[in-house]
Every structure is written in structure tokens, then in C-alpha cells.
Amino acid sequence: MFCFNSDHHVLNVDVRFLLVMFANHLPLYGNVSISVPELNVEKIFSNITLQRTQTEITDKSFSIDFSDVAFERWWPNGYGDQKLYNISVSFHSSLGDDQSHKHFMFGFRKVELVQEAVKDSSGLSFYFRINDLPIFAKGANWIPADAFNNRVTVERYENLLKSAKAANMNMLRVWGGGVYENEEFYLAADRLGIMLWQDFMFACAMYPATDNFLSNVTQEIDQAMWSLKHHPSIVIWAGNNENEAALSTDWYNTTEHFDRYKQDYLSLYVDTVHKTVKSLDTTRPFATSSPSNGLETKQEGWVAKNPYDPNNGDVHYYNYNDDCLDITKYPATRFASEYGFQSWPSFETIVPVTVAEDRKMNSNWSDHRQHHATGNQEMLNQIAMHFNMPNVGNSTQVFKDTIYLTQIMQGLCYKAQTEFYRKSRNETVNGAGHTMGALYWQLNDIWQAPTWSSIEYGGKWKALHYFATKFFAPISLIMYDDDTILKMYAASDVNNPVYGTMVLTIRSWISFGFTGQKTYQVNILPHRSVKLAEESLGQILHEGGCPYKEVCYLTLEVLNQTSIPMSFFFPVAFKDLDGLGKTVFTVEGMAKSKDDEFRFVLRSTSPALFVWLEAKGIKGRFSENAFTMPESAKSLTFYSWQKDLSVEKLKNSLEIKSLYDIYKHNTAAEEVVSFAPSDIVRTSAGTWLDDVHTKLIFGIVGFLFIVIASAQVICLVLRLNKPIHRPRKQSCVDPNLKPSCQNLRKNSSVSSWASGGESTDNNRYDDDGPLGFLIQSKSANGEVSKKTEIRFYII
């Protein structure tokens, strides 16, 4: 077995000789030949002596001068090619024709874990520098791909790692609670440019430190490293998963005997694992644990008081109780190596392992498969903050709709947290920030169950994985609301700057097109996160022609840059949206472009939110999914993972739905749905408020209240601010029910405004509309600032 390490001038090859067959002929003499055919490199080392040892194993190191060799470097995905070279090592013994050969592939690359002072911070940086280039690590955590390891095939490894690459990932963390994967896994990572954070297999426990156990561990580390260390994809070794945190924060009631447990910890991970790693590999960094404070942990005697310090090392962070879209809840850590939220796998994935009575959220089967004690309720709580909960009488339909919402909510949660980390790349707030890694928990599943994964058991992508293709994009546009201020960022991992025109568009759920636009000239710098603009959200909506925020949403894009995904911002919770109309989808022009690619156009009759496509019974993925349709047509591609798929079979398998279809089920009461969701026309249930006399009374009372209140405050308000004009709010739950919404559809037109100027849309409300007054106040500064807006309107 072999490994390599290299710098700019020397190739070092370590060779391990197993001498069992030659035990009676020791010492053994011979020649070692090392060749790299593609580089025309070959060298013979003569008269090598192999001595007798207690273990019948002898290790030798050989060096070859590479100062005149023009080799190409191996790069992570997104930064360059993954150049691999074949190397051949042979031993020709003095006994005659006896020879031993070994062939493998390797790549040249330089790895550094940079921990240095950060400006305006008391802590140290924590990031990977590959071939002298700082890399923002984007990816997930890897767990075993099956509960039975012998069922994991090369094809499954390839499918999962190709899916990681397709989502613009460049790193996976091989979790210490799993297994050392087969050689095919590491070869796939080498070929695809997926860097590997390799934990040794210790996790979430206090381990013994007896002599026999430590001897066994030494053998484990030795064998694992000799099997793996030639792979360029592995960029760091880590001693364990979460055991420093478990000891430091008393997970297992160890405080009473802390000194004893700490000594065992040091004996295992520092004196044994770390010592063995250093003796076998000086080319890669080593972390005693994850999470850990890096060099700060070492300064504190290898067990930090707070291993979750955001100013040092890496952090694991989970928060299921707060609103996941509130980015103020997330730690601005140097490197986020674990974070996550759960979702359910698709109904299609669940069916083969369930019977009918299992298919509901509170069944015995669901409780058994949910291994996070309060996981189901936490998912429902997050959904309830942002969506209307499914409540159709048919329990199967409720389950299907809930599954859909868990996946959409999971995708939104990861999007918010990951974008927070990416935007924090070049920022520090109170010393925290300078984030250079985001590895969410977790990539894959070990069985069919509710988990944190973005890929279901069997390989099907969840909504989250489609979200990841965009929030991990080489250049990602980010919008978020910081106390009524809309902030716009770009996070770039590309080598060249992008100059262009960024367009902020105000759109309505009522119809396609837009009510207003604003343009910005931007310079997106390479390998940086850059704030591009910030504006008052209320002013943007007002000047952009939005009648009221419940009916509008915003998009952000850079013109003529199709590789930069469009970003979306929603001013209100999805349960408060107004204007979503009946949506009918059609598929047009489906054609087979390659053996495994099918192109088609999806059309929608109205703007659609979180459109979800499924190809039932067919293995593959779409180019996009769980997306918003601001236009009536969208070009899509289906990538099949089977070779015998026809256009007709794919088209017949398609099922398409959006958030509108989930919401309209809620109006179906006890109805059992047995036809396509898009065929249902949403209706509104009647209430006592619909009575004409009741409406008249409430209207008169409301009018009198407004007149009296306006008379009392108008003088004060006129002194405090400049008058503005705002359109009267209309209720547009369904345009088929509200004539006013139909008028708004007819009158909507393209408009734009200059920075700080007035709207030029003649079809919007003019000066005869309602008179409004605005009071604004702001305290503190930056991300922690709080801005208050109070608006008064005279109807």
C-alpha cells in the first residue's frame, strides 16, 4: 500500500512491504521501480534491503526530483480540473523472477488549514487553502449509504457523489459515527473534485483508554491511513465527532470525574490517534475533534471550555425552536461543519416500506422511523410559522401535502442559514464572522425515514437538494430583510470579477409581468462576499407599484448572466400571501436530446410558487425543481438514470403541483381527491362576516373611526414627515372571485423608477388616491440595528 506527498520540487512515495511470503528469506534484497507514464517519469532504486520485523511489515520512503516535471494540479470542484495520474510501483527481488506490483491514481495538490489572526476579532480564522487559494467549503455531511454496507454499490456511490457535484458542492465530511468507506467512494471523490473531511470512527461517546484498546486503535488508524492517504480528495483528518463537546459540556454526566475522563480523552485522541497520524502523514492538517476550537483548543489543553466558540475552529449548530428564516439566530462562525433541519422523504419513497395505515404523521410506523424524539412536531411548528397547515379530511392527502411542506420548509431553512454563512465570508460583527465553510447535515439517507438529508434513500433529490444547487452556486445573489431594510449581497467563488447590471423587480402574484424595476451597476469581486445595495423595503414596494405587500414579491438578477440564479424575496409569510390564483400546468415540446436527457417547456396559467415535478416510477432528476415561476414558461431538462426511458413514458409519469394546490385542498373539507389537483377550483367557505348587513355596519363604524382618528393625528404627522401616496389595499385571494383583482390584472404594466424618484406608471394610483404619512426611527447600527416604520393613511 502506498501514499504520496509532494511540494513544488519533490515527489515522495511511501511504500509498505508485506513480507509474510518471504519470511524464510529475510533479509530480502531487490530493486524498486516507480513510474508515472503520463509525465515520462521513471526511476529505479537499487539494492533495497527489507529486514525482518515483528509484524513482518517494512515501510520505505522514496523521493523523485520533480523540479523539471510539468505536472497539473488537482483542484476542488468549481476551481479547476481534477487531474489524476497513474503511478506504478514494482519490486523485483533478488530471489529471481519474483515480482510485486501496485498501481493506483493520485493527484498533485497542496493543502493548508489556515488559522491566523482576524482583523477586529480576538479569535483565529479557520479555512482551507488549496494550492495557495482560499476555498469556501460548500457541501454536506456523509453518512453510510445503507444500513447494510454490502448493499452499497459503485453505482450508488457514483450517483450520490455526482449529485453532490451537481449541487455545486466541493466538500463532504465523512462522519465519525459511520464507516471507512470502500475504495470506490474515495476514487469517485477524487474524480469529481469533492474534498473530504475524514473523521476517524469515534463519535458521541466516552471511549476507554486501556492498553489493549489503544493498541487496537493504533492498528485501526494505521490501516485506515495506509488505505486512504494517497487520495487527493482527503484534505483533513479529524479524531472524532463531538466528543470534545460531549466531555466539555457534560453530555454523559462526566463532570464528577472530569479529570479521569479528560485523561482518557487525551490518551486516545492526542497521544494515540494524533501521534499515529503525524507519523504517517505530514501533508494534511489534523483536528482532534469536530466541533473544536482549533489552535485555541490546543492552548486550553485539548478540551476547550466552549468548543462552540464562533471565533475559533468549526461549529455544529442546531436550533429547531426559533424561526429558521430569522438569520439573527445563527452564529457567525468561522466554519459551520454541521447544521440542519428535518423533512420527510417523498410519498413515493415511503410506499414500498409501509401499509396504508402507516401513511400519516402520527402512525406507529412514523414514530418508529423518526429517530429524533421531537422531530415531527418541530417540523410542523416550523411550517405553521410560515404556511397554512394541510387540513383536508382525507388523511392520505393530508400526509402527502404535509410531506411536500416539510421538504419546502427544510429547503427554505437551509437556504436562509447557508446564505447567512456565505454573506459572512468577508464580514465580522463583534469579532464573529469571516465564515469560510458551510457543510450541512446531511447529504444522504441510510433508510426511508424523516431525516436531515437532502437526498432520499434510493437517490431521489428532495426539495433541499434543488435549493442547494442555487444557494451553493458559484455566484449566488442574496436578499434579506434587516429591520425593514432590504440588503442585497453577492457571494462569489469564481476566479474573475463580474461587472454588470443588476435588476430588482417588483412582481405581483395576480399576473405575470411586473409593476416596477430598479437597476444597479454592480461589480461582483472574485472569491468574496460583497454587499451590492440596500434600500428601504417599504420604499421599494411603494415606488415599485406594489398595492400592498401581501400581493407582491421581489426578484433579483444580473442581466446576461444566466449562470447566476435569480434570487427571490417574499415580504410576508406564505400563509399571508394574497393573489395566488388557480394554476394549470402544461408540458410542451418534450424531446430526447441525449440517451439520458429530455428537454421540455413547462407552462403555467398564472405565477406559481414552489412548483414541484415528480416523474413517478422513474429514477432521475430535473434541472430545477421546487422553483417559483414569475413567467408563464420555463425550459427544463430531465436527466434519466436509466437508459430505456422513452418520451412517452416520461411524459405520462409526470405529476406537477405548486403551493396553490396544497392550499386549495384545505377548502375541500371532507372531499376525497381522486383527480388531478389542478382541476380543482378553489372556493371560499361562507362565514357570518359575509352577510351584507354585517358588512354595512362594520363599514360605517370603520369609516367613522378613521375620520375621528385622522382628525386627531393629522396635524402632528404633517409636522413630522413629507406626504407620500399609497394605493388602496385590495383583497385578491382569487381573481375569479374579486372583480377588483381582475381590474388589477388588466391594468398592470411595466414600470420603472430612478433611484429616489417617483414612479412613472400611469396605470397605478395617482394623486387622487389615499394620502399617507410616514414616520421612521432607527437605533444602533449595522446588523443589530432596529428600524421602526409607522404609516398613517387617510382613506
Side-chain angles (χ1 to χ4, degrees):
M1 291 176 280
F2 312 89
C3 84
F4 85 96
N5 61 75
S6 67
D7 56 28
H8 294 294
H9 305 290
V10 178
L11 172 67
N12 299 313
V13 181
D14 297 337
V15 183
R16 168 161 286 184
F17 296 90
L18 305 180
L19 304 173
V20 178
M21 296 180 62
F22 301 96
N24 296 326
H25 302 281
L26 298 177
L28 187 66
Y29 305 94
N31 299 331
V32 172
S33 173
I34 301 176
S35 65
V36 184
E38 288 181 83
L39 298 174
N40 296 317
V41 170
E42 183 172 8
K43 187 170 182 178
I44 297 175
F45 299 85
S46 303
N47 300 319
I48 303 302
T49 302
L50 304 180
Q51 301 285 355
R52 181 181 299 276
T53 65
Q54 289 183 341
T55 60
E56 297 180 332
I57 294 174
T58 296
D59 298 338
K60 296 285 184 179
S61 295
F62 304 92
S63 298
I64 302 175
D65 184 4
F66 255 58
S67 57
D68 295 326
V69 179
F71 58 84
E72 297 179 36
R73 292 193 176 274
W74 181 95
W75 287 95
N77 177 38
Y79 291 87
D81 295 331
Q82 291 76 50
K83 181 62 179 177
L84 298 173
Y85 294 96
N86 287 287
I87 188 169
S88 177
V89 181
S90 301
F91 177 74
H92 303 266
S93 77
S94 58
L95 297 177
D97 294 332
D98 294 325
Q99 297 183 22
S100 297
H101 301 281
K102 183 72 176 182
H103 305 276
F104 65 100
M105 300 187 73
F106 74 98
F108 293 95
R109 57 97 186 93
K110 180 181 178 183
V111 178
E112 300 169 276
L113 178 59
V114 182
Q115 300 182 76
E116 58 189 14
V118 175
K119 183 179 179 182
D120 300 325
S121 174
S122 60
L124 301 177
S125 65
F126 190 94
Y127 67 91
F128 292 91
R129 191 158 56 201
I130 308 296
N131 301 329
D132 300 317
L133 181 65
I135 302 293
F136 189 102
K138 301 181 295 187
N141 284 254
W142 170 274
I143 69 169
D146 200 290
F148 298 93
N149 200 47
N150 64 337
R151 297 197 302 202
V152 182
T153 62
V154 175
E155 290 73 22
R156 199 185 299 188
Y157 279 139
E158 289 276 350
N159 179 272
L160 288 169
L161 289 177
K162 285 181 178 177
S163 292
K165 181 172 183 175
N168 296 303
M169 295 183 183
N170 59 35
M171 179 179 278
L172 294 176
R173 175 173 172 260
V174 183
W175 173 57
V179 298
Y180 303 105
E181 297 293 344
N182 294 332
E183 175 72 3
E184 290 80 7
F185 170 82
Y186 298 93
L187 285 172
D190 291 343
R191 289 192 298 268
L192 297 170
I194 305 297
M195 296 182 291
L196 298 177
W197 173 310
Q198 178 67 55
D199 279 2
F200 291 108
M201 295 301 119
F202 304 91
C204 303
M206 297 292 101
Y207 289 81
T210 63
D211 291 342
N212 286 338
F213 186 77
L214 295 179
S215 175
N216 181 276
V217 168
T218 300
Q219 294 179 51
E220 174 184 331
I221 304 304
D222 180 86
Q223 292 176 10
M225 291 191 64
W226 273 98
S227 297
L228 301 176
K229 63 180 182 173
H230 65 279
H231 290 286
S233 54
I234 299 176
V235 296
I236 185 173
W237 308 104
N240 65 73
N241 172 78
E242 297 184 342
N243 291 346
E244 180 188 341
L247 177 57
S248 179
T249 58
D250 196 28
W251 290 11
Y252 306 118
N253 300 316
T254 55
T255 299
E256 185 176 352
H257 303 287
F258 177 81
D259 291 340
R260 171 190 167 187
Y261 284 106
K262 180 178 179 180
Q263 184 56 51
D264 286 351
Y265 181 91
L266 298 179
S267 296
L268 177 54
Y269 301 113
V270 179
D271 299 335
T272 302
V273 176
H274 189 195
K275 181 179 178 180
T276 305
V277 170
K278 286 180 65 177
S279 70
L280 294 174
D281 185 4
T282 61
T283 69
R284 295 178 178 89
F286 174 82
T288 50
S289 184
S290 177
S292 181
N293 291 344
L295 292 178
E296 173 60 25
T297 281
K298 183 178 179 180
Q299 293 295 321
E300 294 186 45
W302 299 104
V303 179
K305 292 182 179 179
N306 176 24
Y308 297 99
D309 180 4
N311 293 343
N312 291 282
D314 66 311
V315 167
H316 298 186
Y317 180 80
Y318 295 88
N319 182 347
Y320 306 112
N321 298 320
D322 291 322
D323 179 0
C324 72
L325 303 189
D326 181 359
I327 66 171
T328 66
K329 302 300 182 182
Y330 299 126
T333 174
R334 303 293 192 229
F335 194 105
S337 52
E338 271 195 38
Y339 58 97
F341 302 87
Q342 283 196 327
S343 73
W344 273 80
S346 65
F347 190 76
E348 182 182 23
T349 293
I350 292 170
V351 166
V353 293
T354 58
V355 294
E357 56 264 31
D358 296 332
R359 297 164 191 162
K360 49 189 176 182
M361 288 292 289
N362 59 350
S363 70
N364 290 335
W365 180 88
S366 295
D367 291 340
H368 169 68
R369 290 276 168 143
Q370 174 56 272
H371 281 199
H372 175 49
T374 55
N376 286 345
Q377 189 57 51
E378 288 165 356
M379 282 186 276
L380 297 177
N381 290 345
Q382 281 292 339
I383 293 170
M385 294 181 195
H386 301 278
F387 294 92
N388 295 319
M389 296 297 296
N391 61 9
V392 68
N394 182 344
S395 62
T396 301
Q397 189 62 56
V398 168
F399 190 39
K400 289 180 178 180
D401 292 349
T402 304
I403 287 173
Y404 166 87
L405 288 179
T406 68
Q407 290 206 11
I408 297 300
M409 194 69 244
Q410 182 194 35
L412 291 168
C413 291
Y414 280 90
K415 176 180 182 291
Q417 191 165 359
T418 305
E419 288 182 343
F420 171 72
Y421 293 141
R422 291 196 73 182
K423 91 165 189 67
S424 300
R425 174 172 183 161
N426 299 105
E427 291 184 339
T428 54
V429 178
N430 297 325
H434 199 70
T435 308
M436 285 295 288
L439 308 179
Y440 64 71
W441 180 269
Q442 64 207 57
L443 178 74
N444 55 310
D445 263 339
I446 200 169
W447 66 344
Q448 304 93 328
T451 71
W452 299 257
S453 75
S454 62
I455 300 177
E456 299 176 5
Y457 181 85
K460 185 174 181 178
W461 288 20
K462 289 182 178 179
L464 165 58
H465 209 75
Y466 287 103
F467 274 70
T469 64
K470 297 178 181 178
F471 63 63
F472 278 150
I475 298 179
S476 179
L477 299 178
I478 300 167
M479 288 191 287
Y480 70 97
D481 181 3
D482 180 18
D483 293 311
T484 76
I485 299 297
L486 182 69
K487 294 189 175 181
M488 292 162 268
Y489 279 73
S492 172
D493 296 320
V494 301
N495 293 325
N496 299 308
V498 173
Y499 305 94
T501 301
M502 183 175 71
V503 181
L504 178 65
T505 303
I506 291 77
R507 301 177 185 271
S508 166
W509 294 116
I510 296 170
S511 64
F512 293 118
F514 53 89
T515 64
Q517 282 187 330
K518 188 168 185 178
T519 60
Y520 308 80
Q521 296 305 309
V522 295
N523 178 13
I524 301 174
L525 301 176
H527 303 296
R528 290 185 66 84
S529 174
V530 181
K531 183 191 292 184
L532 302 175
E534 61 177 51
E535 302 273 356
S536 163
L537 180 58
Q539 186 174 359
I540 286 174
L541 294 174
H542 171 70
E543 294 183 348
C546 176
Y548 54 100
K549 61 184 179 180
E550 289 81 2
V551 79
C552 296
Y553 65 105
L554 283 68
T555 61
L556 191 66
E557 61 187 319
V558 179
L559 296 181
N560 303 317
Q561 296 289 337
T562 56
S563 63
I564 303 177
M566 178 183 286
S567 181
F568 291 81
F569 177 81
F570 307 100
V572 299
F574 301 105
K575 61 185 175 183
D576 297 325
L577 295 181
D578 210 349
L580 279 177
K582 179 180 179 181
T583 306
V584 177
F585 298 104
T586 55
V587 173
E588 298 179 358
M590 182 176 287
K592 194 171 187 177
S593 57
K594 295 181 182 177
D595 287 344
D596 58 351
E597 292 185 15
F598 298 80
R599 300 182 185 277
F600 60 96
V601 174
L602 179 68
R603 292 195 177 275
S604 172
T605 56
S606 63
L609 184 57
F610 304 133
V611 179
W612 183 250
L613 298 91
E614 285 193 276
K616 290 296 184 68
I618 297 174
K619 291 186 178 296
R621 69 171 180 89
F622 295 91
S623 54
E624 289 187 68
N625 215 341
F627 52 81
T628 297
M629 284 188 71
E631 304 293 344
S632 61
K634 189 174 188 66
S635 297
L636 296 167
T637 301
F638 180 78
Y639 300 95
S640 174
W641 298 336
Q642 58 193 57
K643 297 297 182 182
D644 58 346
L645 183 60
S646 66
V647 170
E648 181 180 8
K649 185 176 180 180
L650 175 60
K651 193 168 185 178
N652 291 336
S653 74
L654 286 182
E655 292 187 6
I656 308 169
K657 61 185 175 184
S658 67
L659 184 63
Y660 172 78
D661 297 304
I662 307 302
Y663 279 2
K664 72 186 177 186
H665 288 163
N666 292 350
T667 67
E670 300 299 321
E671 179 183 2
V672 177
V673 180
S674 59
F675 42 88
S678 58
D679 292 334
I680 304 174
V681 177
R682 181 173 60 174
T683 60
S684 299
T687 69
W688 65 276
L689 288 171
D690 293 324
D691 180 75
V692 174
H693 296 91
T694 303
K695 290 181 179 179
L696 180 61
I697 293 171
F698 270 86
I700 294 172
V701 172
F703 177 78
L704 292 174
F705 175 79
I706 291 172
V707 170
I708 295 171
S710 298
Q712 293 177 348
V713 302
I714 191 169
C715 294
L716 173 63
V717 172
L718 284 173
R719 293 173 181 268
L720 293 177
N721 214 313
K722 176 184 176 181
I724 61 173
H725 293 87
R726 181 179 190 258
R728 182 180 294 106
K729 176 172 178 176
Q730 304 181 56
S731 180
C732 298
V733 174
D734 192 313
N736 297 320
L737 304 178
K738 299 287 185 179
S740 59
C741 292
Q742 295 174 351
N743 293 335
L744 187 52
R745 285 181 185 271
K746 293 177 184 178
N747 293 334
S748 62
S749 63
V750 177
S751 66
S752 62
W753 71 90
S755 178
E758 296 296 330
S759 170
T760 59
D761 185 359
N762 294 326
N763 289 321
R764 289 187 285 120
Y765 296 85
D766 56 23
D767 289 343
D768 294 329
L771 184 63
F773 304 91
L774 171 66
I775 301 176
Q776 293 182 334
S777 65
K778 188 170 184 177
S779 60
N781 296 297
E783 300 296 331
V784 298
S785 66
K786 299 295 180 183
K787 186 168 183 178
T788 304
E789 262 189 19
I790 304 174
R791 292 177 179 267
F792 299 88
Y793 298 98
I794 301 176
I795 306 299

